[in-house]
Amino acid sequence: MIFLNLLKQQTLNKTQSHNFSMKTMMNVQFLPKNIHEAKVDSIVIPCFEDEKTNQYISLLGSDFVDEYQRLRKSKEFSAKKNKIHKISCMGKINANYLFLVGLGKTKELHNETLRRAVATAHKAVKRSKSSDYLSLLNQVDLPDTAFTVAEAAYLSDYSFDSYKTKKKDAETGKSKSEIKTLFLWNTDEKNPSKSIKQLARAKIIAASTNYCRNLVNTPPNELYPEVLAKEARKLKSPNTKVTVFDEKALKRMGCNAILAVGNGSARKPRLIIVDYNPKGAKKSLAVVGKGITFDSGGLNIKPGAYMESMKCDMSGAACAISVVKAAKDLGIKHRVIAVVPAAENMPGALSYRPDDVIKTYSGKTIEIGNTDAEGRVVLSDALAFTEKNIKPDQIIDLATLTVACVVALGYFTTGMMTSDETMATNLHNAGELSGDRVWRLPLWEDYKDHMKSDIADVKNISKGRDSGTITAAIFLQHFVKSTPWVHLDIAGTAFLKESQFYKPKGGTGAGVRLIVEYLSSM
């Protein structure tokens, strides 16, 4: 009987349904009432370094004006960027607390300043145990502030605690408090339908970004190629086709690079295609995402400290799937295709080895110099397959590809490499607008000799340690013949050891907001 129960439980574990979507999201809505009459737990007021008076505090009465002037004069509150100060309202208005948040100097205000101020305020309000609050940050002089404030608040509200039996705040370690409703002040709205649409758009994009974060944060014993394929199938609909190639199909197709990387694992590789093709679509974008669900390094095994966060090595895949999800939910008019080569890179009896030569889907051969340079290997098949069979107008690939990118650019911007000037310009602009920024690195002829092989068409590692991010892109360039293409190295931006304002510790959802914004410029 015990054996039968164990067998039954094992079967349940194998077939359990994973839920990677956010269960509930905070409510964001407008509050078209006098600020003095607002019945909320807290109120957030935007403040500038160079202001003499604050028009919003003036609406609350002379007591608050006097207190604000005292705080500024004593320098207890400077209104510099992301400075926060809490004032107890003591029954003088309906709210319990007033939060002053600094935006710096008026002329230096931009959308990223606003996003970070929203995150600073949201976390402070959450620590106060408020269940709702009114924010006036959408009143600052910037375009589409309702969207910016709502999106940043949704992103700041994210937490990943699916595996905790007791829910605690990741930053404070204390029991979590939940904010149920964020109100945006809206007394003189001239175009309410536009602002309501901004809130709806913000919720969809934030939900897709948080969905990407959940995929990345899920432990590798729970998320592996087969599970990722099952998750992708959930996006199937009349305008979205999902195709999954298993290891047998990959062998028939000649996707030997994907197979080689996945051979060392008991979890077999997959090639996942999610094709969102709305009626009337005239342009198409393929998003190819590296899907290494865990990277041990293979036979060139990583040191223990470098292996700890390697569940994040499928961040490109998570982004690609999440972009399609966002495109569907937003009703984007372009065709958007996620292409995900998914594998687990493990040491085993059948692992691929240094000195192996692999014939890829394109027909080109790769000499393996290091099994820990596996991401570019699986992408070689995926890129060639995409160009030959899907024939998109453009290709963007995303991958947590090189430590060299972290060394070069740190954790605040994604490395971008391309020979297409139009795509480079539009992606840069999309990054500035979304806050999901990119910085271009060169793809010059000078670097091409680094990837030469004596016995194959190309080698998967360069001759030296210099310019590793660029030479990895040079390698990938061999597998895209003529389609306009961009490579995004998200090694530094996809997974953080410490939170950055509205980007949490762990998976960040890097690339989702960037590409959704980019799609609007196509």
Side-chain angles (χ1 to χ4, degrees):
M1 181 62 73
I2 293 173
F3 173 76
L4 291 174
N5 286 337
L6 287 171
L7 187 63
K8 183 179 179 181
Q9 185 61 49
Q10 186 180 32
T11 304
L12 287 170
N13 289 340
K14 285 183 179 179
T15 59
Q16 65 181 326
S17 177
H18 297 76
N19 183 14
F20 297 103
S21 297
M22 300 297 292
K23 293 180 180 179
T24 57
M25 290 186 76
M26 172 181 62
N27 181 34
V28 180
Q29 64 186 65
F30 289 111
L31 186 68
K33 287 184 179 181
N34 187 307
I35 185 174
H36 202 280
E37 297 174 357
K39 293 183 179 180
V40 290
D41 288 339
S42 296
I43 299 175
V44 172
I45 303 288
C47 304
F48 291 92
E49 279 186 82
D50 47 359
E51 66 185 11
K52 293 181 179 178
T53 59
N54 188 293
Q55 59 178 314
Y56 306 115
I57 293 174
S58 298
L59 297 174
L60 297 173
S62 59
D63 287 347
F64 291 98
V65 172
D66 292 344
E67 176 63 6
Y68 182 63
Q69 294 300 332
R70 186 193 69 78
L71 289 168
R72 294 300 298 269
K73 189 174 181 180
S74 66
K75 297 183 180 180
E76 289 181 58
F77 176 68
S78 65
K80 289 183 178 180
K81 292 178 184 178
N82 305 307
K83 295 297 181 182
I84 193 90
H85 189 86
K86 182 173 75 172
I87 299 173
S88 180
C89 297
M90 303 190 65
K92 294 174 183 177
I93 57 174
N94 289 322
N96 296 324
Y97 302 108
L98 193 67
F99 286 88
L100 310 176
V101 60
L103 290 163
K105 295 179 181 178
T106 309
K107 290 184 179 180
E108 296 177 358
L109 180 66
H110 54 79
N111 282 330
E112 186 62 15
T113 306
L114 181 58
R115 288 187 198 96
R116 294 179 180 189
V118 171
T120 300
H122 187 83
K123 291 177 182 180
V125 172
K126 209 168 186 178
R127 288 193 294 270
S128 75
K129 303 294 183 181
S130 296
S131 63
D132 60 15
Y133 72 102
L134 169 64
S135 178
L136 278 67
L137 283 165
N138 64 307
Q139 295 295 312
V140 301
D141 188 18
L142 286 172
D144 301 330
T145 52
F147 168 82
T148 302
V149 172
E151 183 197 49
Y154 281 129
L155 295 173
S156 303
D157 201 53
Y158 174 85
S159 63
F160 185 77
D161 51 17
S162 303
Y163 295 88
K164 289 188 175 182
T165 54
K166 293 182 179 180
K167 312 298 183 186
K168 290 186 177 182
D169 186 274
E171 293 188 4
T172 65
K174 297 179 180 179
S175 296
K176 281 182 64 179
S177 59
E178 298 292 340
I179 294 175
K180 295 179 180 178
T181 306
L182 162 60
F183 295 99
L184 302 184
W185 197 39
N186 197 36
T187 57
D188 57 350
E189 179 57 47
K190 296 177 182 178
N191 191 351
S193 62
K194 180 184 176 182
S195 292
I196 290 170
K197 286 178 181 178
Q198 285 185 36
L199 296 191
R201 178 179 170 82
K203 187 173 185 178
I204 289 170
I205 295 174
S208 297
T209 305
N210 289 340
Y211 171 73
C212 180
R213 292 169 171 180
N214 282 349
L215 288 171
V216 175
N217 287 329
T218 299
N221 62 315
E222 292 282 333
L223 191 146
Y224 40 90
E226 185 181 357
V227 174
L228 196 59
K230 287 180 180 178
E231 186 62 21
R233 285 192 176 100
K234 294 178 183 178
L235 294 176
K236 185 178 179 181
S237 68
N239 63 9
T240 305
K241 181 181 178 182
V242 181
T243 307
V244 178
F245 298 101
D246 64 12
E247 67 272 24
K248 293 179 182 178
L250 291 172
K251 188 174 183 179
R252 288 195 301 270
M253 294 157 59
C255 288
N256 299 311
I258 297 173
L259 286 168
V261 173
N263 267 350
S265 173
R267 310 288 196 186
K268 296 307 174 187
R270 297 287 185 269
L271 179 62
I272 305 161
I273 316 293
V274 187
D275 189 346
Y276 166 68
N277 194 5
K279 188 176 180 180
K282 294 180 180 179
K283 295 182 179 180
S284 58
L285 172 68
V287 185
V288 182
K290 173 186 171 183
I292 303 299
T293 58
F294 186 76
D295 181 19
S296 70
L299 292 181
N300 290 114
I301 197 162
K302 295 176 184 288
Y306 290 91
M307 212 186 296
E308 288 178 3
S309 59
M310 282 300 105
K311 64 181 181 181
C312 80
D313 219 17
M314 43 66 69
S315 296
C319 175
I321 293 170
S322 300
V323 165
V324 172
K325 185 178 188 301
K328 281 169 58 70
D329 293 344
L330 289 168
I332 284 174
K333 300 301 182 183
H334 306 306
R335 183 184 178 196
V336 187
I337 312 100
V339 181
V340 173
E344 194 175 55
N345 187 25
M346 298 288 283
L350 299 178
S351 293
Y352 78 134
R353 296 153 290 239
D355 290 341
D356 280 0
V357 174
I358 300 164
K359 185 177 181 181
T360 67
Y361 177 84
S362 70
K364 291 185 177 181
T365 54
I366 301 172
E367 179 190 0
I368 302 302
N370 190 306
T371 62
D372 197 20
E374 83 299 325
R376 65 197 72 180
V377 176
V378 297
L379 286 171
S380 69
D381 274 351
L383 288 168
F385 176 91
T386 299
E387 185 172 48
K388 181 179 179 180
N389 298 283
I390 299 173
K391 297 180 174 65
D393 296 322
Q394 298 178 1
I395 299 172
I396 297 174
D397 82 71
L398 302 96
T400 45
L401 210 61
T402 65
V403 174
C405 194
V406 184
V407 174
L409 299 175
Y411 298 94
F412 287 96
T413 187
T414 290
M416 173 177 68
M417 285 137 283
T418 181
S419 298
D420 190 283
E421 297 300 324
T422 301
M423 288 186 75
T425 300
N426 290 339
L427 272 166
H428 173 81
N429 292 340
E432 293 301 309
L433 285 169
S434 66
D436 198 355
R437 296 178 294 182
V438 298
W439 192 257
R440 191 177 183 184
L441 297 172
L443 270 186
W444 296 334
E445 291 286 334
D446 307 66
Y447 297 100
K448 290 195 173 180
D449 285 347
H450 286 65
M451 304 307 291
K452 283 186 175 179
S453 166
D454 293 332
I455 61 171
D457 295 323
V458 64
K459 197 169 183 177
N460 81 324
I461 57 169
S462 61
K463 294 176 181 178
R465 298 185 65 183
D466 56 295
S467 57
T469 301
I470 296 168
T471 54
I474 293 289
F475 173 91
L476 296 176
Q477 199 174 29
H478 283 80
F479 301 94
V480 182
K481 291 180 179 179
S482 59
T483 307
W485 159 77
V486 170
H487 166 59
L488 297 176
D489 194 328
I490 56 174
T493 53
F495 197 88
L496 299 176
K497 293 181 180 179
E498 299 296 336
S499 63
Q500 297 173 356
F501 301 104
Y502 55 90
K503 298 173 187 177
K505 181 179 179 179
T508 65
V512 177
R513 294 181 302 125
L514 169 71
I515 297 178
V516 170
E517 183 64 41
Y518 176 77
L519 282 165
S520 67
S521 73
M522 283 181 64

